[in-house]
Amino acid sequence: MPRTTAYPSDPRIHVDADHLLRLGPMSRALSLLPRQPARSLLNGRHASRLRGRGLNFEELRGYLPGDDVRTIDWKVTARTGSPHVRVYTEERDRPALLLVDQRVSMFFGTKVYMKSVIAAEAAAVAAHRILAQGDRVGGIVFGDTDIAEHRPQRRAVALTRFLSSIGALNCNLHAALRPDQTITLNTVLKQAARLVHTNALVCVFSDFDGLNDASEPLLRRISQSNDLILFDISDPSSRDLPPNLKLAVSDGDKQFEIDSSDPDLSHRIRAAMESRLAQLQIWSRRYGFPIIPLTTEEPALDQLLRQFGHIGGRR
């Protein structure tokens, strides 16, 4: 686990494991189960319906009065001369893998919160709910130079370790960060594709910096046999830069100054963000995974409750 750097306690800029653990009781209204509220983005009227737990094959046995005829195995029936049925049991749980982006590109915000904070809080809320509904939860937390992998488990101590990794990387972010190397989004997607096989829930919390053509086959591979949900985290400045705003921003290597009074610069920034989102939306329609938009303007929990059909956010 990366070493945590101590910063003044401002949950709009940095969040630690204790803060993320406290989100559990406040998120009880949220559900990541297949049955969703009518207005939820996951209720089936949109890009994707959550599959829920799968079925495990148990045995073949002779047909008994009252058995569902749809479970009859016709090949075995024809071979033996007597009706046989296939017996299945529901899986006890399903794995969930949460990919949490804590790179320096996420350490940005012009409103209330940093994008990195919204990603951390949203992932923590999802992790709490997944464990509470009886499923296994794990994830990959990645910064520019550090990556922490947590295999899905159904234990409270595993959740604590996962949230500790998020908090550690979040608290290591600072404006002067200059990483020697950068972990790319595609590197993490490849790692996720190796970890999940079928019937898992995969959630990505990111601004999707570094998205490119090589990302498409990775997203397709993950979504083919699993439930994939993308949480697209943005700052309002990507849509419309405030007038007379001057910012010093860094990509982790070079530093640039942004002057919003330059109309050409504002247009190029907006066009780049719109292009990235448009590409994600094309893949969303093509492969059937939903995109949940989150912004830096309000707490992650309030946004999640509203996006999942609880009008008005937190109760």
Side-chain angles (χ1 to χ4, degrees):
M1 183 184 300
R3 180 175 58 85
T4 303
T5 303
Y7 283 96
S9 179
D10 187 339
R12 298 170 301 174
I13 300 174
H14 292 103
V15 289
D16 58 16
D18 289 339
H19 173 86
L20 300 177
L21 282 166
R22 289 194 295 270
L23 292 174
M26 294 186 288
S27 60
R28 288 173 181 163
L30 192 71
S31 172
L32 288 170
L33 292 170
R35 181 170 293 181
Q36 291 284 313
R39 294 181 176 88
S40 171
L41 290 180
L42 304 180
N43 73 353
R45 293 182 299 145
H46 301 270
S48 175
R49 180 190 294 273
L50 293 175
R51 293 178 176 86
R53 298 184 178 102
L55 297 175
N56 288 324
F57 172 70
E58 288 292 317
E59 62 174 341
L60 275 169
R61 61 164 172 79
Y63 178 84
L64 298 174
D67 284 340
D68 190 336
V69 295
R70 291 175 296 182
T71 63
I72 294 177
D73 188 313
W74 295 106
K75 290 183 178 180
V76 175
T77 296
R79 189 165 60 247
T80 62
S82 61
H84 280 71
V85 296
R86 298 177 70 87
V87 180
Y88 295 88
T89 57
E90 187 179 36
E91 289 178 339
R92 289 181 299 172
D93 56 24
R94 69 185 303 215
L97 195 72
L98 312 183
L99 315 185
V100 190
D101 190 347
Q102 295 291 290
R103 294 175 294 170
V104 72
S105 69
M106 297 287 288
F107 194 63
F108 180 80
T110 62
K111 288 296 183 178
V112 183
Y113 298 94
M114 294 295 196
K115 291 189 292 183
S116 52
V117 167
I118 295 299
E121 290 190 342
V125 168
H128 279 293
R129 297 316 303 148
I130 290 165
L131 186 65
Q133 70 195 29
D135 289 330
R136 288 171 284 154
V137 64
I140 302 173
V141 189
F142 61 104
D144 291 279
T145 59
D146 295 293
I147 187 166
E149 178 186 305
H150 298 264
R151 298 277 178 149
Q153 297 183 56
R154 193 173 57 177
R155 297 193 301 156
V157 66
L159 173 64
T160 301
R161 285 198 293 264
F162 175 58
L163 298 184
S164 294
S165 290
I166 298 176
L169 280 176
N170 184 274
C171 289
N172 279 337
L173 287 170
H174 55 90
L177 191 64
R178 300 289 186 274
D180 295 329
Q181 58 182 338
T182 300
I183 295 171
T184 67
L185 178 64
N186 287 343
T187 298
V188 179
L189 291 175
K190 288 177 184 177
Q191 188 167 340
R194 289 194 299 268
L195 289 175
V196 296
H197 301 288
T198 59
N199 201 43
L201 172 63
V202 180
C203 301
V204 186
F205 302 85
S206 178
D207 62 358
F208 295 94
D209 181 52
L211 190 80
N212 55 35
D213 291 341
S215 309
E216 181 181 5
L218 296 170
L219 293 172
R220 181 182 68 241
R221 177 180 169 186
I222 294 172
S223 65
Q224 280 177 338
S225 302
N226 305 282
D227 284 322
L228 174 64
I229 306 175
L230 304 186
F231 293 82
D232 179 36
I233 300 165
S234 64
D235 186 82
S237 64
S238 64
R239 301 188 301 269
D240 188 19
L241 281 176
N244 302 317
L245 175 68
K246 291 187 177 181
L247 293 173
V249 299
S250 172
D251 63 357
D253 180 29
K254 299 177 182 178
Q255 185 166 302
F256 308 87
E257 184 175 284
I258 292 178
D259 184 353
S260 65
S261 62
D262 181 350
D264 181 59
L265 178 60
S266 297
H267 173 74
R268 280 186 287 153
I269 292 174
R270 185 168 58 252
M273 296 299 103
E274 290 175 351
S275 174
R276 183 185 301 170
L277 180 58
Q279 186 63 76
L280 275 178
Q281 290 172 338
I282 290 172
W283 295 340
S284 168
R285 292 189 295 268
R286 185 176 297 168
Y287 305 119
F289 55 78
I291 301 172
I292 309 294
L294 300 175
T295 78
T296 59
E297 296 175 279
E298 58 181 318
L301 178 57
D302 290 350
Q303 297 184 68
L304 289 173
L305 289 172
R306 187 169 59 252
Q307 298 283 30
F308 284 29
H310 300 280
I311 302 302
R314 198 179 320 187
R315 298 177 180 178

